[in-house]
């Protein structure tokens, strides 16, 4: 299929072993995968084995994830969180990823005044390893929960190794619009994650629906077509794919679900 984007699937949609998930992703025609720490730790060969498997399947990594609650971490956890960050960055290198996904801190103890300092440190560590940081404003993040807020941080740090994740869920679940992308330079969009929902969640449902009940794009109420139009207008040509947490689909055969995911993605792209 000709498309202007490298297409990816996040392994979180699929059940089975790491090998079964990645094989299903390849068989469905995805060029890339988003890989979790658990995918590596659950694999027999760990990082090296996963790297070899990806190479044999011809699947590249969109990113390796996820470093949670890092920016603005409370002082008593800072040293251990930085150690965790280094382990994730080093594993990303071993597994062959170029990008590590880092969501904005969701902890109530997040120290807003430390966010820039922490992210500067992380970006410097990533640069030393030839990695990029894809920063994601999640709709329940403590301080940085919108794309414009995340862009402000990215512009403050001003490194080619720091850009943003654009996740349809986190924009539209807050009843925000594609206007959030108006001032976003295309080179700062590192990847785009699509999903959908049956109805816009209430505030107290956000995390539950996000982690268990997302739908494939085109099956719900999100203005996915409008988001794609906005990306095309910006001449975005980076990775585009699906991050769909869905308990029901995860329990079905991985190859069947991966094919279904590709069909949904092709449908919304129009390819």
């Amino acid at each position: 299929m000709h498309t202007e984007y490298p297409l990816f699937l996040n392994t979180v949609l699929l059940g089975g072993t790491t090998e079964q998930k990645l094989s299903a992703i390849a068989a469905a025609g995805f060029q890339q995968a988003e890989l979790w720490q658990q995918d590596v730790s659950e694999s027999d060969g760990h990082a090296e084995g996963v790297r070899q498997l990806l190479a044999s399947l011809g699947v590249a990594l969109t990113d390796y994830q996820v470093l949670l609650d890092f920016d603005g971490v409370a002082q008593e956890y800072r040293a251990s969180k930085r150690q965790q960050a280094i382990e994730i960055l080093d594993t990303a290198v071993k597994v062959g990823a170029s990008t590590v996904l880092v969501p904005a801190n969701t902890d109530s103890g997040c120290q807003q005044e430390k966010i820039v300092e922490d992210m500067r440190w992380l970006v410097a560590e990533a640069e030393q390893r030839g990695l990029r940081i894809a920063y994601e404003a999640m709709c329940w993040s403590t301080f940085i929960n919108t794309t414009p807020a995340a862009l402000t941080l990215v512009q403050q740090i001003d490194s080619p190794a720091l850009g943003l994740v654009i996740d349809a869920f986190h924009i539209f679940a807050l009843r925000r619009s594609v206007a959030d992308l108006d001032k976003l330079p295309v080179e700062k969009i590192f990847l785009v994650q699509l999903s959908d929902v049956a109805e816009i969640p209430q505030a107290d449902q956000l995390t539950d629906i996000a982690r268990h009940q997302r739908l494939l794009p085109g099956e719900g109420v999100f203005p996915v077509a409008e988001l794609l139009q906005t990306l095309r207008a910006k001449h975005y040509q980076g990775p585009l794919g699906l991050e769909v947490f869905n308990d029901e689909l995860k329990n079905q055969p991985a190859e069947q679900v991966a094919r279904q995911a590709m069909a949904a993605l092709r449908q919304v792209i129009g390819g």
Side-chain angles (χ1 to χ4, degrees):
M1 175 188 71
H2 173 74
T3 171
E4 60 261 60
Y5 318 104
L7 301 180
F8 68 82
L9 182 60
N10 190 307
T11 60
V12 78
L13 178 64
L14 307 176
T17 64
T18 302
E19 185 171 358
Q20 286 168 334
K21 292 178 197 176
L22 292 175
S23 298
I25 287 170
F30 289 96
Q31 294 109 308
Q32 299 185 4
E34 287 193 287
L35 193 72
W36 293 75
Q37 285 172 271
Q38 296 91 312
D39 295 322
V40 175
S41 60
E42 289 167 9
S43 168
D44 293 340
H46 295 309
E48 188 52 44
V50 173
R51 186 182 187 132
Q52 289 171 2
L53 174 61
L54 288 160
S56 71
L57 293 169
V59 173
L61 287 180
T62 314
D63 57 75
Y64 179 61
Q65 55 188 80
V66 59
L67 175 59
L68 291 170
D69 297 334
F70 175 80
D71 54 318
V73 63
Q75 188 59 43
E76 61 266 35
Y77 304 119
R78 182 161 274 113
S80 62
K81 189 54 83 168
R82 289 193 174 192
Q83 184 55 45
Q84 184 193 358
I86 284 169
E87 287 166 13
I88 287 175
L89 294 173
D90 287 344
T91 303
V93 172
K94 286 178 194 160
V95 86
S98 61
T99 303
V100 172
L101 195 147
V102 181
N105 199 324
T106 64
D107 189 78
S108 59
C110 176
Q111 300 178 294
Q112 190 171 15
E113 70 280 4
K114 294 285 190 183
I115 288 174
V116 173
E117 177 191 327
D118 285 344
M119 289 305 295
R120 246 188 241 289
W121 177 90
L122 183 64
V123 169
E125 291 290 331
E127 286 175 326
Q128 285 173 24
R129 292 163 174 81
L131 294 169
R132 304 188 310 167
I133 300 296
Y135 187 70
E136 181 172 12
M138 297 206 299
C139 56
W140 60 85
S141 292
T142 310
F143 294 109
I144 300 180
N145 68 344
T146 67
T147 300
L151 178 60
T152 299
L153 172 73
V154 164
Q155 289 173 329
Q156 274 180 279
I157 292 173
D158 191 25
S159 162
L162 179 63
L164 296 183
V165 178
I166 297 302
D167 184 329
F169 183 89
H170 293 299
I171 295 172
F172 301 132
L174 283 186
R175 295 173 165 76
R176 297 180 69 90
S177 75
V178 295
D180 275 7
L181 276 62
D182 282 354
K183 294 181 178 168
L184 178 56
V186 70
E187 67 274 10
K188 287 302 180 187
I189 306 175
F190 281 6
L191 63 132
V192 176
Q193 298 172 330
L194 302 180
S195 62
D196 218 327
V197 292
E199 57 185 336
I200 302 293
Q202 299 302 312
D204 61 352
Q205 301 174 300
L206 282 174
T207 53
D208 184 60
I209 289 177
R211 292 173 179 157
H212 302 284
Q213 297 178 58
R214 296 194 205 191
L215 303 176
L216 296 172
E219 293 183 352
V221 296
F222 283 164
V224 176
E226 196 182 348
L227 176 59
L228 290 170
Q229 279 176 339
T230 302
L231 293 167
R232 286 195 182 105
K234 287 181 176 288
H235 305 291
Y236 175 71
Q237 294 184 312
L240 177 80
L242 305 182
E243 185 189 48
V244 179
F245 295 75
N246 182 297
D247 294 353
E248 201 178 312
L249 289 174
K250 200 176 179 81
N251 286 322
Q252 294 173 22
E255 285 219 0
Q256 173 190 314
V257 174
R259 284 196 302 272
Q260 197 178 330
M262 177 56 94
L265 190 51
R266 283 179 172 167
Q267 185 72 32
V268 294
I269 292 172

